[in-house]
């Protein structure tokens, strides 16, 4: 399940995509994304450290996307905030396909094939869906999801 933190991150980034290069403050983003400002500021810091947004300090500071919205996928954002998309470490390239703690053997695991398919299907959808596509959706659509 997608955490509230990830939903706030996605909403804020979609609002930055809608701003089309215009710099927005954390306060403006909190209002537009319907997110608590302090919590969103921590999320924006994490997004900045991971190269998804550029932050500018000072009186005229704010945030902008680091690249065009069409180049930032939902999968990339979720991985920054949540970690791997996979449901278990045995199907996660980011975790080295290591076996689960309660698993006897990767080769004979009865769950692994289904988990691989779920990971692949999820990644395919989320990799193909960009911030630009979400920004083109009606404004209330993201708030009603989740």
């Amino acid at each position: 399940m997608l955490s509230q933190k990830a939903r706030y991150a996605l909403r804020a980034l979609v609002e930055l995509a809608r701003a089309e290069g215009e710099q927005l403050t954390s306060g403006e983003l909190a209002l537009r994304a319907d997110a608590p400002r302090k919590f969103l500021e921590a999320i924006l810091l994490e997004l900045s450290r991971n190269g998804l947004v550029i932050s500018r300090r000072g009186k005229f500071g704010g945030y902008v996307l680091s690249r065009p919205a069409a180049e930032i996928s939902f999968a990339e954002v979720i991985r920054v905030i949540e970690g791997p998309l996979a449901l278990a470490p045995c199907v996660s390239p980011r975790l080295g396909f290591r076996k689960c703690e309660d698993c006897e053997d990767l080769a004979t695991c009865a769950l692994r094939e289904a988990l691989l398919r779920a990971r692949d299907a999820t990644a395919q959808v989320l990799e193909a869906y960009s911030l630009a596509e979400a920004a083109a959706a009606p404004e209330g659509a993201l708030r009603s999801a989740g």
Side-chain angles (χ1 to χ4, degrees), residues 18 137-145:
R18 285 184 175 139
E139 293 217 14
L142 282 178
R143 278 188 204 79
S144 61

Side-chain angles (χ1 to χ4, degrees), residues 84-98:
L85 298 176
L87 296 172
C90 66
V91 295
S92 175
R94 291 178 169 254
L95 297 176
F97 297 109
R98 71 175 190 270

Side-chain angles (χ1 to χ4, degrees), residues 13-125:
L13 291 175
V14 168
E15 291 303 328
L16 285 174
R18 285 184 175 139
E20 298 179 343
E22 178 187 339
Q23 189 170 270
L24 298 176
T25 66
S26 59
E28 290 169 322
L29 281 169
L31 285 172
R32 292 182 184 198
D34 193 25
R37 184 177 175 170
K38 286 291 182 193
F39 190 34
L40 187 59
E41 286 174 350
I43 293 168
L44 290 166
L45 180 62
E46 191 170 345
L47 294 171
S48 177
R49 286 182 180 149
N50 284 279
L52 292 175
V53 298
I54 297 169
S55 65
R56 297 190 176 113
R57 295 179 163 268
K59 184 177 180 181
F60 301 106
Y63 296 88
V64 294
L65 292 177
S66 63
R67 327 189 284 278
E71 295 178 14
I72 302 173
S73 71
F74 268 42
E76 182 177 3
V77 177
I78 293 168
R79 284 182 181 118
V80 164
I81 299 298
E82 303 274 5
L85 298 176
L87 296 172
C90 66
V91 295
S92 175
R94 291 178 169 254
L95 297 176
F97 297 109
R98 71 175 190 270
K99 74 179 194 73
C100 301
E101 290 179 21
D102 61 342
C103 186
E104 297 270 333
D105 178 32
L106 283 178
T108 60
C109 178
L111 307 177
R112 191 162 191 245
E113 183 60 31
L115 296 176
L116 276 166
R117 290 181 192 185
R119 184 221 47 214
D120 291 347
T122 301
Q124 182 179 13
V125 170

